[in-house]
Amino acid sequence: MLVLIDNVLPEELKYIINIIFSEILNTETPVISKSVSGLMLSYGENSEIRIPQCVLLDSSADFSLCCLKMKSINDEINKIIKEEKLPVLVKVDSQCEEPLISVDENVITINFDLFGSAFYILTRMEEMGSNLLDEHCRFPASASHAYNNGYLHRPVVDEYAEILWYCIKLLWPNIERKPKSFEMKLTHDVDEPFEALFRPTWKMIRSFGSDIIRKKDIKRAFNRSYLWGKVKCGDWKCDRVYTFDRIMDLGESVGCKDAFYFIPDCTGDMSGDYRLDHPGMRALLKRIHERGHEIGYHGSYETYLDPAKTKNEVMKLKEIAAKEGIH
């Protein structure tokens, strides 16, 4: 539980504090207060951790005045995270001269914006307003600070949390972290559930001709035509790319329940190639559900900039699922 003294913290700061203490460290949140000199964290006993730099103390914080910089790690912190440098959020003109932490008897000072850095990285604020986009208007990893400074595959927010935990244990050695239990989750985006079920005749003829003329494989051509005919007559499990039962078998063999994410609206050029309200698709949804696996939502290509379209697609998926007795 987040405990506040005197002041109500901004929602952004409460969010990242909860992430670090509840989800990463999995421990009790300390008493937290703020003043003109920054944040104070304490579990009592006349000791405290001070974080004088925290952009999130101001609910109207302007992140355009901040940037990530690489800070050298001293030997003490190097023992914790086994790295030479750490990316930290600083004012644009900051020189980052102080050590990461300073210890003075019952007071430890963390000399970088630990919570602001974690918030900045987890929310991907670096991408907001950027003109460095690919052909799909996505921010490429190659343009990121992480890629350009060699920490793209480092869990830096976890590293921030471990630095904070190191400080906590120095002052309050009796504070413990609850053990975590992990679960393997197998997930599958369903872009093309069938090869033949939704393929028009002219496309099938073209594939048939390609097997004979280009691949010179008559057996393949007639096998394709035979299976296409069976699928069109309702035996959709004969489809050459139908693998759902095999996938579920594999998941169940290792004690997992799989999650399958379906696209409710495939009318766009870059979305899937099926109709979710088709009897074959509805039967597939029901089969997955009956075997105890999950059905979820996969947004179509256009939804990332269209909340209304996203909402409509989610409702469509729920309506179709409900008709098959699926929640």
Side-chain angles (χ1 to χ4, degrees), residues 10-33:
E11 291 300 317
E12 295 86 353
L13 185 53
K14 288 193 286 186
Y15 159 78
I16 200 62
I17 288 172
N18 181 64
I19 290 289
I20 288 177
F21 283 98
S22 298
E23 297 192 20
I24 299 178
L25 293 178
N26 201 27
T27 191
E28 178 186 354
T29 303
V31 173
I32 299 174
S33 60

Side-chain angles (χ1 to χ4, degrees), residues 26 28 32 46 49 60 91 93 97 158 181 184 202 226 247 299 322-323:
N26 201 27
E28 178 186 354
I32 299 174
N46 300 317
I49 294 172
S60 60
K91 294 286 181 64
D93 56 356
E97 297 296 340
D158 291 79
S181 59
M184 182 165 62
W202 69 269
Y226 171 71
I247 289 172
K323 291 177 182 178

Side-chain angles (χ1 to χ4, degrees), residues 26-91:
N26 201 27
T27 191
E28 178 186 354
T29 303
V31 173
I32 299 174
S33 60
K34 69 174 184 176
S35 69
V36 292
S37 59
L39 278 178
M40 279 74 73
L41 288 67
S42 177
Y43 288 98
E45 301 177 12
N46 300 317
S47 299
E48 66 180 19
I49 294 172
R50 297 174 182 172
I51 306 179
Q53 304 172 44
C54 187
V55 67
L56 291 174
L57 279 174
D58 182 0
S59 59
S60 60
D62 187 355
F63 278 92
S64 66
L65 301 177
C66 303
C67 65
L68 288 170
K69 287 188 178 181
M70 301 303 293
K71 186 175 179 65
S72 296
I73 293 175
N74 55 26
D75 292 341
E76 196 170 19
I77 302 302
N78 176 265
K79 295 175 183 177
I80 304 169
I81 62 175
K82 311 298 182 184
E83 297 289 347
E84 299 299 323
K85 290 189 174 183
L86 185 72
V88 297
L89 191 69
V90 298
K91 294 286 181 64

